[in-house]
Every structure is written in C-alpha cells, then in structure tokens.
Amino acid sequence: LAKTTQPISMDSYEGQEVNITCSHNNIATNDYITWYQQFPSQGPRFIIQGYKTKVTNEVASLFIPADRKSSTLSLPRVSLSDTAVYYCLVGASGTGGFKTIFGAGTRLFVKA
Amino acid sequence: DVKVTQSSRYLVKRTGEKVFLECVQDMDHENMFWYRQDPGLGLRLIYFSYDVKMKEKGDIPEGYSVSREKKERFSLILESASTNQTSMYLCASSLTERGGTGELFFGEGSRLTVL
C-alpha cells in the first residue's frame, strides 16, 4: 500500500489560498488520491478525489502531476471554518475489498 | 443523505470487560470499516468488511474482532478490554465503485475509556 507523507501543520489567514501537498512515492497504477477533512469530535468528510491532472469541485481543487508521486489540495480563500485536519489517502477498489489507510493528516489553522 | 449511526457516543468500561460497539448504515453500502483515532496518529484501520459475513484485517486488528451478520450492521468487539484500547472509534461505510475508492461516510464516533 502506498504510504503518504504530509506536513504536520500549517497556518494561514482568512481569505488566502492554502495549498497542502501530499507525497506518495509508491503510488500504484490503479490507485486514486482522495482528501478528507475532519473537524474536532466529528468523523472525516470527503472533499475530493482524483487520478491525474486536475480535479475541481465547489470546495477545492486537486492537482496531480504526471508522475503522480505527489498531489496538492488547494483551498481557495479559506475562512475560519476551514480550520481542521486534512488527510490524504491513496488506494484503489479491488476484488475482495480494499484497505483505506489514513496518515496522520495536516492540521490547518486559519487565523483572522 | 447517508447516515452512519454508532450506538454509543461515550462509554466507560473496566479492564477485562467485553465491549460491543455497534454501527449501522442506511444506504445499502457493501463496505464497512472500523478505525480508531488517537492524538498524533491519525486514523488507523482495525477491520473492514466488503460483504456480509466477510471481514479483513486492517493494520491493527490485535485485541479486536468484528461481526457482520447483516449488510447494514458492522460490530466491533473487544473481547477483554485493556487500558491501551482507550480511544475514539470511528465507523465508516462506502459503496464499491469501479475505479477509484468509494467515498467514505463516517459516523460521529464512540469515545471509549477503559479504566
């Protein structure tokens, strides 16, 4: 299973764009990259998933270079409510189920 | 909306007790997962199940067992609770999707304290 490495923490200010990078050097051909957000005392919540190049939804963008050994979650114009832990996951569905492994995550703190 | 319900938000048990954590999902998902979350360690996968009566070990299955007798219900069992099992336990479910990994839907968590 591909291991992921993320920064432990990041600080930002309201209104800024935040980019969180995740390294996954051993990503497999079938693996997708998924990001989750977790607030205190809640379970993680899906943000975005991608396989290559760029994916964008109403919440975030995900940039994946051609070699797929890293990915960057981009949060446009963060607000105080974006303070949370962000997890990068790498994995794929397969016959007989699949493991979904979380790393330690990146704690983002947004300041006023 | 998908709802994943965990039976207890907070439990306090004594060392050696048998503990049952129940999880129910209402969206007919094939896959269900149990994680534990500890400060600084993120979420660690204990067990997962991709079908009724099927189970697979995650990264830290020791000291735990699971049961999936019905598609909507996935139970985590601590046969003899120990203090190092004090943790937040999170249940999740997902659909199997062709390519990619299905979105995980989490319950609110069960905080277990073992004295």
Side-chain angles (χ1 to χ4, degrees), chain A residues 26-107:
Chain A
N26 296 322
I27 190 168
T29 303
N30 295 335
D31 285 345
Y32 279 66
I33 300 149
T34 313
W35 286 80
Y36 285 81
Q37 175 192 54
Q38 186 179 25
F39 297 113
S41 302
Q42 294 184 24
R45 183 182 67 157
F46 175 92
I47 301 175
I48 197 166
Q49 184 177 91
Y51 183 80
K52 61 181 179 181
T53 61
K54 178 183 174 183
V55 179
T56 296
N57 62 22
E58 65 277 5
V59 176
S61 294
L62 178 59
F63 298 92
I64 305 168
D67 67 5
R68 305 201 324 123
K69 292 184 183 300
S70 66
S71 59
T72 299
L73 174 73
S74 181
L75 304 172
R77 300 183 59 78
V78 294
S79 64
L80 296 176
S81 63
D82 291 316
T83 293
V85 178
Y86 293 82
Y87 294 95
C88 164
L89 282 73
V90 172
S93 297
T95 307
F98 60 93
K99 286 185 176 183
T100 305
I101 305 295
F102 286 75
T106 297
R107 187 172 299 274

Side-chain angles (χ1 to χ4, degrees), chain B residues 94-106:
Chain B
S94 72
L95 278 172
T96 296
E97 293 189 7
R98 196 171 284 279
T101 59
E103 177 181 344
L104 288 169
F105 293 87
F106 282 85

Side-chain angles (χ1 to χ4, degrees), chain B residues 21-78:
Chain B
L21 298 178
E22 302 282 336
C23 176
V24 177
Q25 50 95 2
D26 65 0
M27 283 301 291
D28 204 35
H29 285 174
E30 298 96 340
N31 308 303
M32 296 188 75
F33 305 79
W34 275 106
Y35 294 87
R36 65 176 282 177
Q37 184 168 32
D38 301 289
L41 296 178
L43 281 80
R44 292 182 290 167
L45 181 64
I46 304 171
Y47 269 97
F48 69 100
S49 168
Y50 53 90
D51 201 352
V52 175
K53 296 193 186 294
M54 306 303 287
K55 61 185 179 184
E56 293 283 345
K57 293 180 180 179
D59 286 341
I60 51 164
E62 296 79 19
Y64 303 94
S65 62
V66 290
S67 172
R68 191 153 181 216
E69 297 296 318
K70 293 184 178 182
K71 191 174 185 180
E72 68 271 17
R73 188 180 297 270
F74 192 36
S75 301
L76 180 71
I77 303 150
L78 288 66

